Amino acid sequence: MDLTSKNIMIMDHPLIKHKISLLRDKNTGTGEFRSLVEEIAMLMAFESLRSLPLEEIEIETPIEKCISPVIEGKKLAVVPILRAGLGMVDGILKLVPTAKVGHIGLCRNEETHLPQEYYCKLPENIDQRDVIVLDPMLATGGSAAAAVDLIKAKGGRSIKFMCIIAAPEGLEVLRKAHPDIEIYVGNLDRCLNSDAYICPGLGDAGDRIFGTK
Ligand code: PRP
Ligand code: URA
């Protein structure tokens, strides 16, 4: 797999690595798991939002007036893939509270492993926004590629995908399907197993975030 692509960013920050290890532990309970997913998303946002557009505004400090840069927050849209992507949203919104939020509902068929769409609601003027698609898990890549397809079909052009754990198989599928998007990966794991789960991975992210199993 071509990891030299300039569109693939694999995180190397020790805090992210540490928190991903805690996330993997099968003894980590729902509350802690949820907090970790949110914290990792926030830390990854520092990397992925490096190129956020700024605008200059006038501010009065206790000393004098000055012109100072602020984020053009209205331009950003975050789009979690339901369900597990929801766990990452608040981490991003803590940094950019004015970002708009869309939702894409996709569920993997347990036998075919193919994504089935059940919901899609995106912020208006999606064609004029920087969009970050969120999902903790990039396994076969089917869900991520389908989500980006949906956003592009509605006019989205400037798209990033952020996941906490990726399998090489899924990263390759997404890169080939959408070579124009930036992909941010917390950790690149070894491979998929015969059930298309990531190894070593962290199990079923949605179930662990929402305590459904
Ligand atoms: C998980 C995960 C991704 C998808 C990844 O969701 O959150 O969306 O699987 O797998 P893929 O790369 O092979 O498509 P799932 O479909 O289990 O739904 P859930 O979040 O509602 O549990
Ligand atoms: N979805 C998950 O939640 N975990 C995996 O390992 C693969 C898909």
Side-chain angles (χ1 to χ4, degrees):
M1 210 206 19
D2 179 16
L3 285 181
T4 59
S5 161
K6 66 176 176 33
N7 285 353
I8 298 178
M9 269 64 65
I10 299 181
M11 303 296 110
D12 59 2
H13 197 291
L15 273 175
I16 296 178
K17 288 178 185 285
H18 176 81
K19 287 177 192 292
I20 289 178
S21 298
L22 300 179
L23 209 54
R24 292 188 193 280
D25 189 334
K26 66 177 185 182
N27 295 314
T28 297
T30 302
E32 191 188 354
F33 192 91
R34 234 180 250 150
S35 304
L36 286 164
V37 168
E38 187 181 318
E39 288 165 12
I40 293 166
M42 185 163 66
L43 292 169
M44 289 184 69
F46 275 103
E47 286 301 328
S48 65
L49 297 180
R50 243 171 225 287
S51 58
L52 261 191
L54 294 168
E55 61 182 336
E56 305 264 301
I57 61 162
E58 188 178 85
I59 288 179
E60 196 163 352
T61 77
I63 310 297
E64 62 177 27
K65 282 187 181 165
C66 67
I67 303 293
S68 201
V70 291
I71 301 282
E72 270 185 46
K74 279 194 298 245
K75 282 206 65 197
L76 186 70
V78 292
V79 180
I81 301 179
L82 308 179
R83 292 172 300 168
L86 282 176
M88 300 171 75
V89 173
D90 284 353
I92 314 283
L93 292 184
K94 281 205 170 117
L95 296 181
V96 192
T98 52
K100 303 287 185 278
V101 183
H103 295 88
I104 291 179
L106 293 171
C107 191
R108 259 191 0 168
N109 179 295
E110 282 182 14
E111 273 144 36
T112 64
H113 308 137
L114 293 173
Q116 294 167 336
E117 180 194 338
Y118 60 88
Y119 190 76
C120 180
K121 179 91 179 166
L122 301 180
E124 59 184 13
N125 304 329
I126 199 74
D127 54 317
Q128 291 157 37
R129 297 182 187 279
D130 294 323
V131 182
I132 308 184
V133 183
L134 304 175
D135 195 323
M137 309 306 278
L138 179 64
T140 64
S143 304
V148 176
D149 282 342
L150 281 166
I151 293 167
K152 285 185 174 174
K154 293 191 186 264
R157 287 292 165 265
S158 168
I159 303 171
K160 302 176 200 289
F161 178 82
M162 187 194 291
C163 64
I164 296 179
I165 307 240
E169 296 90 327
L171 193 52
E172 186 67 2
V173 164
L174 183 58
R175 190 182 66 83
K176 281 206 172 124
H178 297 290
D180 55 310
I181 71 167
E182 291 176 6
I183 307 174
Y184 292 84
V185 177
N187 195 79
L188 183 60
D189 274 19
R190 196 175 71 249
C191 62
L192 294 177
N193 67 15
S194 55
D195 293 322
Y197 271 77
I198 302 174
C199 304
L202 49 73
D204 188 304
D207 283 337
R208 294 196 67 186
I209 290 171
F210 295 106
T212 38
K213 242 180 212 164

